[in-house]
Amino acid sequence: MNTRTNESWLDELRSPGPVREVALDDLHAIVQKGLPYALSRWLSPEDPLFTPLVEEVTQETLLRVLDQLDTFEGRSMFTTWVHKIAIRIALTELRRKRWQDSSLDELVDDEENPAPERLMADPQASPETNAERADMLARIRRILEEELTDKQRQALVLLGLQNLPMEEAARSMKTNRNALYKLLHDARLRLKRRLAAEDLNAQEVLSAFEGR
Amino acid sequence: MGQTQNDPPQLPDELIENLIRSLEHTHEQECTCDEVFAVVDQYAEAEIHGDDVARLMPLIKQHMELCHNCCEEYEALLDILEKSNPS
């Protein structure tokens, strides 16, 4: 089944009629065999969602593979390329589902158990040390206010505070995962350059946070 | 001074701390998620073959350290390759 060369896969999937059907059936079996290994960290095979998810992802993968056949560049085995497409589809769905479920749990938790207040000062540290740490935190907050754009701040809140998966955060910002990564890269770069310009290093800043 | 209705929400300490921590892995040139996706199959096969992927594809390795989603997808691909074809 998996003894085809990359060229054979491409030829057969591009052929009309039964040749293509046989190749598709074989590819279906390969994806279905591989996916459970990828999903096992996320979902128990005993979970009632497991088997329908594998089938649904397999179907979607085959459609996408046929649609994107011309983009396969032969830099890996064809089946590895197919597996990566299946994983992208499966994990996007699982992340979305996990986030939706955890959002509901948090809603209930928040109502029943309000979050504890954060300790603002380390009782073991001297008043001078606590004052220095508070100054550093205030300085970093000021830098962030000056350096981050509203969009960058929004992305940080969605990902870091509301724990949205990248795809969901991107969707809510009417962009895509790739552009969101670039936006955050720009934010990190700006911040890194600014800290360097102010002669601050990350370790120094982190020690202020660790001493809260 | 109190926060007005138009002020952006204040970023919590933990989020800022994570942001500062990520600066260690921040470089002028970084791959995007799409660029990683384009080669992650090749990257995973190289890893399985025992190649030094950090040296061969340093930008991909760098991205994995920062992007949790891409790293998860890469590890899932490794799981399939290792367990589907155990040597």
Side-chain angles (χ1 to χ4, degrees), chain A residues 33-34 37-38 41-42 75-77 80-81 83-84 87-88 91 95 118 140-141 144 153 156-157 160-161 166-167 177-178 181-182 185 188-189 191-193 195 202 205-206 209-210 212, chain B residues 8-17 19-23 26-28 30-34 37-42 45 63 66-67 69-70 72-73 75-77 79-81 83-84:
Chain A
K33 183 181 170 216
Y37 298 123
R41 294 184 198 208
W42 293 72
R75 290 193 279 200
S76 67
M77 283 173 62
T80 307
W81 181 75
H83 284 314
K84 93 172 165 181
I87 288 168
R88 169 60 63 93
L91 295 199
R95 285 183 194 117
R118 186 184 276 285
I140 295 300
R141 285 194 175 281
L144 289 173
R153 180 181 291 270
L156 287 170
V157 168
L161 196 54
M166 286 280 276
E167 281 90 356
R177 175 168 154 182
N178 202 56
Y181 185 88
K182 281 185 187 169
H185 178 222
R188 288 185 280 107
L189 266 184
L191 190 55
K192 189 170 183 170
R193 289 179 190 141
L195 292 188
V205 176
L206 284 173
F209 280 89
E210 282 155 7
R212 280 168 312 183
Chain B
Q10 200 180 43
L11 299 177
D13 289 354
E14 191 184 342
L15 199 153
I16 299 175
E17 185 178 344
L19 183 59
I20 302 285
R21 220 173 272 289
S22 72
L23 299 185
T26 296
H27 302 273
E28 290 288 329
E30 287 183 15
C31 283
T32 63
C33 298
D34 283 354
F37 185 72
V39 297
V40 71
D41 43 347
Q42 183 187 1
E45 284 185 354
H63 182 96
L66 279 164
C67 183
N69 284 197
C70 285
E72 277 177 346
E73 290 168 18
E75 285 173 354
L77 186 55
D79 279 343
I80 293 181
L81 297 183
K83 292 168 186 165
S84 297

Side-chain angles (χ1 to χ4, degrees), chain A residues 19-47:
Chain A
V19 172
R20 182 196 208 204
E21 293 309 314
V22 171
L24 274 175
D25 283 349
D26 288 348
L27 204 52
H28 185 281
I30 289 168
V31 175
Q32 283 221 318
K33 183 181 170 216
L35 260 179
Y37 298 123
L39 302 186
S40 59
R41 294 184 198 208
W42 293 72
L43 204 58
S44 159
E46 278 76 48
D47 191 301

